Amino acid sequence: MVDVSLVGETETDGVVTVGSYKLVNGTRNFCKETCTIDGGGAMTVKEMEGCIQAGRDALEGWVTECGATVVALGEVGIGNTTSSAAILAVLTENQTSIENVCGFGARLVHDPDPSVLQKKVDIVKRALVLHQFMTPNGDTGVNAEKKTADSKALAESVLSKLGGAEIASLVGAILQASEMNICVLIDGYICITAALVAAYLSPDATRVFLFATRSAELGGYNCALERIQQIGKGSSSIPLESPALDMDLRLGEGTGAVCAVPLVKSVVCLLKEMSTLEDIMNAAG
């Protein structure tokens, strides 16, 4: 577990380590105009790049230490389904249909008040308007630069202005895993958001994606999955399958990814050790 943005100092206790570029003051409120003073948003570009590098460093160090060939990623965050919904609204072109990617999250599901969900939708819309990903009347073509920007530039802009530090770090870990040819078990809603950003930044990275579990935040999850599959189809001959598990989870923290590890082990054993029909016939003489 790597601390990338908890406010204040964190003591390393053998379980939690401090990220190499930790944001000691956390990220900023992406709905407040003050966060745009330096041209940034939730994070400045430099802060975002630092969090991406922190994810890269953590992944590389851990893989080098234990020799892993598959990694299960997860996160611990509060309120980050809102950040994820904002990112997905832009990258899946749902700015005018924010409801498609915005769900109740882990806490609101216990008291699913539609008015509270609408407040969440309104927060996302305010953030998209503030950072010029849409106009107040729903026009998504307000910023010609953003409209014509290449995918990488758009993803970087979205991540710095709307994303949390943990999402940026997950992006870095995914990109590093791809460069090291390590398969990545993608957990639920937050992780698939990071995976989509990573796919925009490096389409080839999709070849190492293994979708572990379908999130209970179905609307946003499915939009992200479909977009990643589209990107993957254009960059790799390896088809991206649907998630292996569907358990209605809202936990995050890598729980779904870890649950899928035995399935990965079973598949590897089948491919390496199970006899083919030809092998059996030859053995029988």
Side-chain angles (χ1 to χ4, degrees):
M1 184 178 295
V2 182
D3 171 18
V4 291
S5 64
L6 283 176
V7 175
E9 299 298 327
T10 302
E11 293 185 8
T12 300
D13 59 5
V15 176
V16 178
T17 61
V18 178
S20 46
Y21 297 88
K22 175 180 172 175
L23 306 183
V24 293
N25 295 316
T27 52
R28 293 173 289 189
N29 186 331
F30 67 7
C31 280
K32 290 188 175 182
E33 290 189 13
T34 51
C35 76
T36 66
I37 292 175
D38 54 9
M43 296 175 283
T44 65
V45 172
K46 183 177 180 180
E47 288 172 337
M48 175 198 69
E49 291 173 344
C51 288
I52 290 176
Q53 189 61 49
R56 282 182 172 276
D57 292 346
L59 189 288
E60 182 178 24
W62 184 77
V63 168
T64 301
E65 179 181 340
C66 67
T69 55
V70 179
V71 295
L73 297 179
E75 45 64 46
V76 179
I78 300 299
N80 52 4
T81 60
T82 304
S83 298
S84 293
I87 292 171
L88 293 182
V90 179
L91 296 186
T92 65
E93 299 180 352
N94 272 286
Q95 295 100 313
T96 58
S97 305
I98 296 172
E99 297 82 359
N100 290 346
V101 296
C102 205
F104 282 102
R107 292 180 62 84
L108 293 181
V109 71
H110 299 294
D111 184 20
D113 183 343
S115 66
V116 179
L117 177 59
Q118 184 58 50
K119 181 178 180 181
K120 185 176 180 180
V121 170
D122 292 342
I123 288 171
V124 172
K125 182 176 180 179
R126 286 210 317 272
L128 298 190
V129 170
L130 175 63
H131 298 290
Q132 299 184 30
F133 292 113
M134 65 182 294
T135 62
N137 63 8
D139 179 12
T140 60
V142 57
N143 190 314
E145 181 181 352
K146 286 186 174 65
K147 188 175 181 180
T148 59
D150 61 53
S151 297
K152 182 177 180 180
L154 176 62
E156 290 175 342
S157 176
V158 170
L159 184 58
S160 67
K161 289 177 169 58
L162 305 174
E166 77 286 6
I167 298 175
S169 297
L170 285 169
V171 171
I174 293 169
L175 293 175
Q176 186 66 34
S178 172
E179 293 175 11
M180 299 177 73
N181 213 31
I182 301 293
C183 287
V184 179
L185 280 164
I186 306 296
D187 196 40
Y189 189 62
I190 313 302
C191 280
I192 201 168
T193 300
L196 179 56
V197 175
Y200 267 81
L201 295 177
S202 176
D204 183 60
T206 59
R207 79 188 192 286
V208 301
F209 290 5
L210 298 174
F211 298 107
T213 181
R214 191 182 301 275
S215 170
E217 296 280 290
L218 281 177
Y221 185 93
N222 289 339
C223 285
L225 177 63
E226 181 179 350
R227 185 73 187 100
I228 292 172
Q229 289 173 330
Q230 290 172 351
I231 294 172
K233 187 176 181 180
S235 65
S236 173
S237 60
I238 302 174
L240 290 169
E241 301 295 338
S242 297
L245 302 172
D246 190 344
M247 301 179 288
D248 202 32
L249 288 179
R250 291 181 181 272
L251 294 175
E253 288 104 40
T255 46
V258 171
C259 286
V261 169
L263 292 176
V264 175
K265 290 183 176 180
S266 296
V267 169
V268 171
C269 287
L270 286 172
L271 292 173
K272 292 178 64 177
E273 301 176 17
M274 185 175 179
S275 299
T276 64
L277 182 59
E278 183 180 0
D279 293 333
I280 296 172
M281 296 299 291
N282 289 337

